[in-house]
Amino acid sequence: MQRWIVLTVLTSALAGLASPALAADPDPTDDPVTTTVTLGKARIDPKVPGRVRVDVDYLCSVADEARSLTVSVEQKDPEDASSIAFGSSRTAEADIICDGTAQQRQLVVQSKTVNWIPGADAVVIATVSNIGATPPASADSRRVKLTAD
């Protein structure tokens, strides 16, 4: 009987050693990177007035699913309300770097209708989608006066 008690106590003690240790509190620096995007300058290409070059800064975390960067521009002609220049540009998934470091890109947006007008207001929108990350998308938009480059 005494051997059985010693064996039971010894088995229980060894089982306690084999159990996984409690995880320590997570390090706040291990938090996932938040997806962000910030618009920079938007300039009309002087050689091709139907193109606008838009600078974009973005940051996104590593994700296994699809990601993209899209920029859209819309501009109404101040002298002709029926004339609207608009266009968008989307990068290929392979061209988006999502590794938790700040990235800079310049996208070219071609107007689908008329040429861009220097000095006139335009609405510029940039969106980074990073499906599988938190949050899965982020956008920045603003009204800017397009300038000639």
Side-chain angles (χ1 to χ4, degrees):
M1 174 84 167
Q2 198 173 25
R3 283 185 183 172
W4 180 78
I5 293 173
V6 170
L7 185 58
T8 304
V9 170
L10 185 59
T11 304
S12 297
L14 289 174
L17 290 175
S19 66
L22 294 176
D25 289 336
D27 185 357
T29 59
D30 290 341
D31 290 342
V33 174
T34 301
T35 301
T36 61
V37 61
T38 307
L39 283 164
K41 293 182 180 180
R43 298 170 306 282
I44 299 171
D45 187 327
K47 293 181 181 177
V48 184
R51 290 185 185 164
V52 171
R53 297 184 183 279
V54 180
D55 296 331
V56 179
D57 296 330
Y58 70 93
L59 175 76
C60 52
S61 61
V62 177
D64 294 332
E65 297 188 46
R67 53 194 169 266
S68 69
L69 171 61
T70 305
V71 174
S72 301
V73 181
E74 181 179 316
Q75 181 188 50
K76 291 183 181 179
D77 185 333
E79 297 176 12
D80 180 4
S82 66
S83 178
I84 299 174
F86 66 92
S88 66
S89 179
R90 180 182 178 275
T91 60
E93 183 178 335
D95 292 341
I96 299 299
I97 299 170
C98 287
D99 62 2
T101 61
Q103 303 292 321
Q104 293 181 330
R105 294 290 304 263
Q106 184 179 82
L107 277 77
V108 176
V109 178
Q110 177 72 43
S111 173
K112 307 288 188 222
T113 53
V114 296
N115 287 339
W116 305 105
I117 302 168
D121 283 346
V123 174
V124 182
I125 303 169
T127 305
V128 171
S129 64
N130 190 20
I131 308 302
T134 303
S138 183
D140 187 18
S141 63
R142 58 180 68 157
R143 183 177 304 273
V144 298
K145 289 198 184 295
L146 294 181
T147 59
D149 203 12

